[in-house]
């Protein structure tokens, strides 16, 4: 039906990623406590980037690249599935599965765009550039916010402790010391309010 | 709890917009035919902008501003609700309600950010700049794609006809002649396959 082969590939990709709306996470929405999916999560992260970028440890980050990174970072989960961040798991096996997914899904696109998205995803995963560090920071801060405002729903369900939350989230400080200080207060308040086990 | 007043406002806003995930639209997802919500829709639009911007009628558009626009354009629906694009309704009353919503919700943010988001939303609505015209084009193309790939689910449910689809969507051509040509083919195919009433 589509005569333009390039456009055909692009539309095929845009149809494929509709499935990100079906990948559900452990965190729940603040109001109705329904599990959040990856598309909603990615949208929310982009909003965090837009609103909070002034708190990056680096005086200026490339906003467009950071927004792109958070918008595409979970697309690999269409094939690889979501991993709850407090699960202990084989990180090597996970990375291998995710890289395969990146090549299959982004590979639907015309070559230059496929490469751009694979590079962005690899940059996000490596967490070395200021943009990737800030993207990783909001990727951890957002579920902390949802957990706090849902009275620790996912934490309670899985019996998560303060020390685990600190261990899994302290890399927020790599992207933003201000946001990590804020997150530490949120964790402290969560323990005080009984949303999170002190231990 | 948050000592920094500016950060307190920003976090309050980021919590408030969690509710966009609860505003459901008429279009359904391609796989399980569940209704799509505004947060998922906004994420998908941002992906369309990233992938399809080369087809803008203007040789180059400001990608970051266009992405920002599609990410925030529906936030006003938290207060104003979603309007099915084929509904006949009082446009003036709708605009008034939406403007009030924009001022309340974006107004939670610190003043400069509130103004930036209100301006972006007004720019999107006015559909005059190349960025707003391209944003409006993808905002119409995305539900067309979902309708086509769900075999006309929402069209059939509401008894929508080809002429209505053309009337409501032909402004895609203002943002992109290439994408409107593609959309016209999609509409033609939809009629041929019985997804859409010919009339």
């Amino acid at each position: 039906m589509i005569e333009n082969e390039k456009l055909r590939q692009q539309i095929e990709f845009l149809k494929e990623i509709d499935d990100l709306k079906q990948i559900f996470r452990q965190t729940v929405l603040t109001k109705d406590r329904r599990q959040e999916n990856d598309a909603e999560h990615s949208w929310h992260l982009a909003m965090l980037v837009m609103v909070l970028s002034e708190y990056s440890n680096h005086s200026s980050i490339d906003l467009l690249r950071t927004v792109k990174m958070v918008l595409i970072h979970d697309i690999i989960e269409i094939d690889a599935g979501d991993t709850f961040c407090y699960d202990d798991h084989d990180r090597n096996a996970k990375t291998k599965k995710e890289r395969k997914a990146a090549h299959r899904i982004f590979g639907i696109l015309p070559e230059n765009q496929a490469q751009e998205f694979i590079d962005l995803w690899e940059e996000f995963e490596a967490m070395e550039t200021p943009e990737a560090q800030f993207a990783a920071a909001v990727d951890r801060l957002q579920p902390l916010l949802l957990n706090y405002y849902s009275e620790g729903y996912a934490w309670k369900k899985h019996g998560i402790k303060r020390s685990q939350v600190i261990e899994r989230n302290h890399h927020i400080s790599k992207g933003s010391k201000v946001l990590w200080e804020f997150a530490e207060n949120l964790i402290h308040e969560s323990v005080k309010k009984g949303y999170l086990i002190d231990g």
Side-chain angles (χ1 to χ4, degrees), chain A:
Chain A
M1 187 188 91
I2 311 175
E3 285 166 33
N4 176 339
E5 170 62 10
K6 193 178 179 189
L7 182 54
R8 194 199 59 72
Q9 293 171 323
Q10 291 163 324
I11 296 291
E12 177 62 26
F13 171 77
L14 292 166
K15 182 202 167 207
E16 178 74 22
I17 64 171
D18 193 49
D19 290 351
L20 196 64
K21 302 166 192 169
Q22 318 246 30
I23 309 290
F24 287 90
R25 304 164 48 80
Q26 290 302 324
T27 37
V28 297
L29 306 190
T30 55
K31 248 182 205 158
D32 77 352
R33 312 283 154 104
R34 157 177 73 75
Q35 279 179 276
E36 185 187 42
N37 67 56
D38 272 346
E40 301 168 322
H41 166 69
S42 301
W43 167 78
H44 212 166
L45 293 194
M47 293 302 304
L48 264 77
V49 171
M50 282 163 60
V51 170
L52 302 175
S53 66
E54 67 188 284
Y55 304 115
S56 162
N57 291 341
H58 295 84
S59 57
S60 99
I61 54 172
D62 181 332
L63 255 192
L64 180 60
R65 209 165 86 247
T66 315
V67 167
K68 280 182 172 182
M69 232 181 268
V70 298
L71 289 172
I72 65 120
H73 82 294
D74 270 342
I75 286 177
I76 45 105
E77 295 191 354
I78 290 173
D79 285 358
D82 179 56
T83 311
F84 188 40
C85 74
Y86 299 104
D87 274 350
D88 282 322
H89 49 259
D90 182 342
R91 292 218 165 254
N92 279 342
K94 185 174 172 263
T95 303
K96 210 174 151 189
K97 206 167 157 190
E98 291 185 343
R99 186 162 287 135
K100 197 177 158 195
H103 283 264
R104 184 192 74 77
I105 304 169
F106 297 135
I108 298 170
L109 285 165
E111 207 177 323
N112 62 334
Q113 287 186 324
Q115 198 55 55
E116 184 199 352
F117 285 8
I118 290 169
D119 290 348
L120 276 170
W121 177 75
E122 292 279 7
E123 182 182 348
F124 175 81
E125 288 291 309
M127 231 195 282
E128 280 165 5
T129 64
E131 285 76 11
Q133 287 170 347
F134 194 73
V138 299
D139 187 36
R140 296 265 43 85
L141 180 62
Q142 189 259 3
L144 271 184
L145 286 175
L146 291 195
N147 265 310
Y148 178 77
Y149 288 114
S150 65
E151 304 184 345
Y153 189 94
W155 288 331
K156 284 176 186 168
K157 190 176 164 192
H158 297 276
I160 302 299
K161 292 176 191 159
R162 179 212 292 256
S163 57
Q164 288 173 284
V165 175
I166 289 176
E167 195 206 325
R168 293 290 184 203
N169 293 290
H170 75 262
H171 72 242
I172 290 176
S173 68
K174 267 195 180 179
S176 169
K177 291 194 193 313
V178 175
L179 295 180
W180 175 237
E181 194 187 327
F182 165 72
E184 279 185 309
N185 282 330
L186 207 71
I187 294 165
H188 180 70
E189 282 292 314
S190 298
V191 171
K192 248 174 67 182
K193 292 187 174 185
Y195 302 164
L196 181 63
I197 301 167
D198 192 9

